[in-house]
Structure formats: structure tokens, C-alpha cells
Amino acid sequence: MSIRPWRDIARRPSRQIMVGNVPVGGDAPVTVQTMTNTPTEDAAATIDQIRRCEEAGADIIRVSCPDVASTAALGQIVRAAKVPIVADIHFHYKRALEAADAGAACLRINPGNIGSSDRVAEVVRAAKANGCAIRIGVNAGSLEKDLLEKYGEPCPEALVESALDHIKLLQDHDFHEYKVAVKASDVFLAVAAYQGLAEATDCPLHLGITEAGGLIGGTVKSSIGLGSLLWFGIGDTIRVSLSAEPEEEVRVGFEILKALGIRNRGVRVVSCPSCARQGFDVIRTVQALEERLQHIRTPMSLSVLGCVVNGPGEARETDIGITGGGNGRHMVYLSGVTDHHVQDADMIDHIVKLVEAKAAEIEAADAAAKLVAA
């Protein structure tokens, strides 16, 4: 137990699988995924989008493979990507075979939609031969008719039963490198389904609130749903489903993990909502800093407070801090200690340089520690 037990998260024990070179489950870090929205057959456009998602921090990226043209382009896409690529397959089992041969690290399927047991067996053979994992994707919007008739509507029990049925199809063919999602657009339904599935199986779980909405609404829904599950230790990889550019999904995913202390990447900004006491324009300053600090990957903290009411207290807890003062002259804190003043006109450039220098310092210290350990 840590010295701050109220922050401790007891993670659900799960089996670990490999998605390409990325471990999922077990004691591996919770990974962040997204999905491209370019036509997959347009390899150049898809690779460009993948590159932006990689720069945002994506660990795994999914691409849709609905037709032969998509799987034909997949090989080029996989070779260009720096992270594992998941091929999204819905109905046609041959697309799964083609995607596996093209180098996909994982196949997203519903085994029940693939067809006969013989077809499932073919997909499993292709996955084994190519070292592919499989992600079983259950969705409240596309539940099997027999389960809808049995339960009357999509409900947690129906989603869990569907997932367990699909798991059995793979296990019957001696395939165990799978992870499972039971997604719904309803937060309550999704959370309850994941809780039920977490008790029923030890496989890694892929979390998501599907069709969550736009950037603001979808972020709120996903934060509530995914945050609740992660807080209680459930979840091994996440995708925030937004009607927004995929790199935004990645950023929101990391912000959820950062807020829970599960995983840190880049600058964690602590900032006030601003009020009449502010000594500078907090809102515009934070917007500018978040935009200009996106390239920082080293975990660190920055507090931006408009006045001295809460500013010094917050600054004591962050690597770098700034609090608003009078006459356009503001106090800068380094490692929680007052250090120097900065003028309004120079403030943003100055903070960016301080953050970059601190990141370089942390990276150098980490590199030195690794050399000593080696």
C-alpha cells in the first residue's frame, strides 16, 4: 500500500497477449488505441493519418478492411506503421485471411459473424500462422437475434453471453491469443457489461464507449465510462470513440489515464478556470501552451494559475508553475520553489523553453540511470 492509499488502483488480474510487439493485459501498461477514418485503399492518406496518431502517442491503430482493395493496401500500410495495426473485419472471413497474410498484428472480428465453424477454423489457422491476435468485438447495436429474443433488449447479461459464446468458438479451435470488448453507447450498459465480463473471464479487456459523440460530449461520456472501469482496475487497452480526428481520440485517452495516475505521457497541466482576480488571460494562455507543448512526451507537470490565492499551493506540487501578479509581472516556480519573475509579453515563450529544458533534464537523468543499471 502506498503512502496515499486513496490513490491506489488494484488492477484486475488478466492473461497477457501480444499485439505485434505490444503486450496487452497482465502487468503491461494500459495501451491507447484509435482507428483511422481514411479509405484504407488510399494507402498514402491512411499512412499520413497513422503518422499523426503515432505522434500523438497511439500504441495500436486499427484500420477498416471491408473489401479486397483495403486488404490489398494493408501490406504497405503495415510496413510504414511504427505501431501494430489491427485489421477491422466484420463479415467476410476471406478479408481476415488476407489481412493476416498482409501483416496485421490483430484481427478484430465477431467469430459468430464469420460463418461456419470451418470458416472460423480457417481464420484461426491464418492468425496462428501469421502470429496475429484476435479481438472479439461485441456491440450492443449488433447483438445476435437469438440473444435479443431471449433478453428482450440489449442488456449487460446479453453482451456478456455473446462475448462468452464468441470466446468458446475460438477456444474450441485451441486459440487463446484474444482480447474482448463489449461496447455500448449507453454508459450504464457498457460499464455493467464490462464488470460482468471481468468476473467471467481472465482475458484482456478492450474498453470503449462506442458512438460516444463529438469531441466534448464524447469525451465526457468516455471519461465517465472508461474512468469508472479503470478506477476499479478493469481494462487493459482503451479506445475513445469520438466524432473527431483520431489523434484527438489518442489525446483524450491519455488524459483519462493521466487523470487516474495509471499512465503518464507529456505535460499534465493544472490550471484554474480563471476569474476577475487573474493577472493574465488564463484561458488563452493554457490553450497556447497545450498547443505548443504537444511534442513533449516526457511526463511532467505544469501549473498555470491566474492569481496568488491557490497558485503557490498548486505550484508546490508541480515541476513548473506560474502565478499571476500585478502590473503584468508573474511569478515562476521551479520544482515547487519561487524562482523568478516573467513579464506578460514573454510568458508563453518562456514557459515553453522551461518545459523543454526540464524534459531534456529528465530524459538525461533517465538515460544515465539506465546506463548505471546496465
Side-chain angles (χ1 to χ4, degrees):
M1 183 177 289
S2 71
I3 60 171
R4 296 181 179 90
W6 61 89
R7 292 183 180 175
D8 292 344
I9 293 176
R11 191 167 171 190
R12 161 187 170 266
S14 66
R15 290 187 294 106
Q16 187 174 101
I17 67 169
M18 296 299 294
V19 177
N21 60 356
V22 174
V24 175
D27 59 356
V30 177
T31 51
V32 177
Q33 303 194 25
T34 187
M35 186 174 183
T36 58
N37 56 33
T38 52
T40 305
E41 65 267 22
D42 187 343
T46 302
I47 291 167
D48 284 346
Q49 192 170 73
I50 286 172
R51 197 69 69 236
R52 294 194 297 274
C53 294
E54 290 171 340
E55 290 171 358
D59 299 298
I60 299 169
I61 297 175
R62 181 158 45 115
V63 302
S64 185
C65 293
D67 49 36
V68 175
S70 299
T71 53
L74 191 61
Q76 180 183 350
I77 292 167
V78 168
R79 288 190 296 273
K82 299 174 184 176
V83 299
I85 297 298
V86 178
D88 194 79
I89 313 294
H90 278 279
F91 298 108
H92 209 301
Y93 80 103
K94 286 189 176 179
R95 303 293 83 78
L97 307 182
E98 293 158 2
D101 288 340
C106 181
L107 306 174
R108 185 274 188 193
I109 62 171
N110 274 354
N113 289 345
I114 292 297
S116 66
S117 178
D118 288 342
R119 289 183 174 180
V120 173
E122 281 196 63
V123 172
V124 167
R125 279 196 294 270
K128 286 182 175 180
N130 291 281
C132 285
I134 288 178
R135 198 258 281 187
I136 295 170
V138 175
N139 193 305
S142 56
L143 275 173
E144 296 90 328
K145 289 183 179 178
D146 63 318
L147 290 176
L148 287 175
E149 290 174 0
K150 177 179 178 179
Y151 290 100
E153 64 175 359
C155 62
E157 294 79 9
L159 268 69
V160 172
E161 185 170 334
S162 177
L164 295 177
D165 287 345
H166 291 140
I167 287 172
K168 186 175 186 304
L169 285 174
L170 295 184
Q171 290 180 334
D172 286 346
H173 294 285
D174 194 28
F175 190 86
H176 307 281
E177 296 298 302
Y178 58 82
K179 52 195 176 82
V180 185
V182 281
K183 294 186 178 183
S185 59
D186 179 276
V187 173
F188 298 96
L189 174 55
V191 169
Y194 276 111
Q195 288 173 329
L197 188 61
E199 294 178 0
T201 178
D202 69 345
C203 71
L205 299 184
H206 171 119
L207 302 188
I209 305 298
T210 194
E211 292 109 26
L215 182 57
I216 295 177
T219 294
V220 171
K221 286 181 68 175
S222 296
S223 298
I224 294 170
L226 305 190
S228 298
L229 290 164
L230 291 164
W231 197 341
F232 287 100
I234 297 172
D236 303 288
T237 185
I238 67 172
R239 188 238 172 146
V240 178
S241 299
L242 302 176
S243 299
E245 293 303 317
E247 54 265 40
E248 295 296 336
E249 295 186 348
V250 178
R251 294 185 185 111
V252 172
F254 270 102
E255 289 299 325
I256 291 172
L257 296 180
K258 284 159 66 175
L260 290 167
I262 292 172
R263 190 170 170 197
N264 291 312
R265 181 188 189 277
V267 182
R268 177 176 62 87
V269 178
V270 177
S271 61
C272 67
S274 81
C275 69
R277 293 191 305 266
Q278 64 182 355
F280 58 87
D281 189 336
V282 173
I283 293 173
R284 307 296 173 264
T285 299
V286 170
Q287 288 173 343
L289 287 171
E290 287 183 335
E291 180 66 29
R292 292 186 56 181
L293 295 175
Q294 285 184 11
H295 66 291
I296 301 294
R297 300 186 179 188
T298 306
M300 57 185 302
S301 54
L302 168 66
S303 57
V304 183
L305 282 293
C307 74
V308 295
V309 174
N310 294 316
E314 294 292 352
R316 281 196 294 270
E317 304 297 324
T318 55
D319 295 303
I320 296 170
I322 185 163
T323 60
N327 301 315
R329 191 166 179 264
H330 315 302
M331 176 58 72
V332 175
Y333 299 74
L334 300 181
S335 300
V337 179
T338 56
D339 193 85
H340 60 274
H341 290 89
V342 65
Q343 297 294 327
D344 239 356
D346 306 318
M347 180 174 58
I348 292 175
D349 287 342
H350 185 68
I351 294 299
V352 169
K353 289 177 181 177
L354 288 174
V355 170
E356 290 174 337
K358 183 66 177 180
E361 177 189 325
I362 293 170
E363 290 168 10
D366 288 345
K370 288 177 181 176
L371 282 175
V372 171

